[in-house]
Amino acid sequence: MCVPGCQQVVHRALSRRGFFSGAAATGFAATAPGLAIAAPASRFTSVVDLTHTMSPDFPTFLGTPGIRMEKEFDFKKDGFNLYWWRLNEHAGTHMDAPIHFSEGGVTAERIPAQTLVVPLSVVNVTAKAARDSDYLLTREDLAEWEKRHRRLPDNCCVAMHSGWAQHVGSATKYAGKDAAGVLHFPGVSPGAADWMMKERKVVGLAVDTLSLDNGPSKDFKVHSAWLPSGRWGLENVANLDRVPAAGATLVVGLAKVKDATGGPARLLALV
Ligand SMILES: [Zn+2]
């Protein structure tokens, strides 16, 4: 099965010289030099939903409900159903756009669609995270992945699979807040993030926890380096245990809202 329209779009973009001088991509290219779009897998046999269901009960970084829904129209009374949502951009399965941690970074609606369909590389650190809830994915974990699956593909999204998604039903475990108010969940080490930016062409970083930086982080070093470079992040990713470590294509269905610093995303893996 071919990704509808995808091959053609990718082919057109790749065959057009100086793609990143195009108006749509100017902002992105300005902050992420050298990044180009990747040709995604052209064939797949299944679609894996990497998205958690959002609700007011979903655990959040701030500890307050990430969404409030108010029914404006009701089918029985009005003939149709409609809710207003009051939504935190950074709750549930969502994207961190470059602007989230930078002054003039790219906003959600300006991220080129072609860069939202990318190879997905899943790094499994479940055993280490089970032993240490503050585990930080390391440069060595990436080296181990490359030993098994070859070099990280250009323009891919690297996803940390810590196993944390299984705890999503318990805010106590998922956020791991201790008596002193400190959160505990795994994240990515600044060294690994730095290496992915400098030595590989990774465009996206995904985690199955509340934040790219681990729970106890106070300085958000990964957010502060990764996002201002023009790259994006994904948090609270689901079902990473159902996709292969290499070979899947990630489709990031990001809500397109003007000036948004990120937002809810339907993440689909084509396997
Ligand atoms: Zn976020």
Side-chain angles (χ1 to χ4, degrees):
M1 206 188 323
C2 180
V3 185
C6 189
Q7 270 186 314
Q8 295 89 321
V9 168
V10 170
H11 177 75
R12 271 203 305 277
L14 286 174
S15 60
R16 205 187 319 149
R17 287 189 58 174
F19 169 71
F20 269 103
S21 63
T26 303
F28 189 76
T31 46
L35 297 179
I37 60 170
S42 59
R43 292 180 182 280
F44 59 93
T45 53
S46 66
V47 178
V48 179
D49 195 341
L50 302 184
T51 322
H52 285 295
T53 298
M54 185 54 177
S55 78
D57 300 325
F58 194 91
T60 62
F61 190 87
L62 300 173
T64 51
I67 188 168
R68 208 170 66 208
M69 296 173 71
E70 289 163 11
K71 199 153 200 183
E72 173 97 359
F73 295 99
D74 181 77
F75 187 81
K76 280 201 181 110
K77 188 157 66 77
D78 307 302
F80 63 100
N81 289 313
L82 187 152
Y83 287 96
W84 273 103
W85 297 353
R86 183 174 156 80
L87 179 75
N88 180 325
E89 288 173 323
H90 295 272
T93 302
H94 70 276
M95 169 180 276
D96 284 7
I99 187 72
H100 185 38
F101 266 68
S102 55
E103 207 178 324
V106 173
T107 46
E109 84 284 10
R110 291 168 57 213
I111 299 175
Q114 292 88 338
T115 65
L116 296 175
V117 181
V118 295
L120 178 64
S121 305
V122 180
V123 183
N124 189 327
V125 295
T126 51
K128 292 164 179 172
R131 288 193 297 271
D132 174 10
S133 54
D134 296 334
Y135 186 73
L136 287 168
L137 180 145
T138 62
R139 164 80 186 84
E140 288 69 38
D141 293 323
L142 297 170
E144 184 63 32
W145 188 96
E146 290 201 334
K147 225 185 280 171
R148 293 181 190 196
H149 308 288
R150 298 193 202 162
R151 189 183 164 97
L152 285 167
D154 284 356
N155 310 302
C156 72
C157 171
V158 169
M160 175 190 74
H161 172 29
S162 72
W164 232 242
Q166 68 180 308
H167 304 309
V168 81
S170 160
T172 314
K173 176 66 182 171
Y174 194 72
K177 197 174 198 173
D178 66 19
V182 178
L183 305 183
H184 297 279
F185 54 79
V188 177
S189 72
D194 190 56
W195 183 82
M196 285 187 271
M197 287 194 289
K198 290 182 179 150
E199 303 299 329
R200 295 294 182 269
K201 290 182 179 172
V202 179
V203 295
L205 195 50
V207 293
D208 56 358
T209 59
L210 283 165
S211 172
L212 303 177
D213 292 278
N214 71 353
S217 172
K218 292 267 179 285
D219 50 15
F220 304 104
K221 270 193 176 144
V222 175
H223 276 85
S224 303
W226 191 264
L227 300 177
S229 76
R231 293 167 174 84
W232 45 258
L234 297 169
E235 291 163 338
N236 300 315
V237 178
N239 295 326
L240 287 171
D241 56 339
R242 293 180 48 206
V243 290
T249 296
L250 173 68
V251 179
V252 181
L254 174 66
K256 194 172 181 179
V257 179
K258 190 173 184 310
D259 297 335
T261 71
R266 188 72 183 256
L267 307 180
L268 304 175
L270 311 181
V271 180

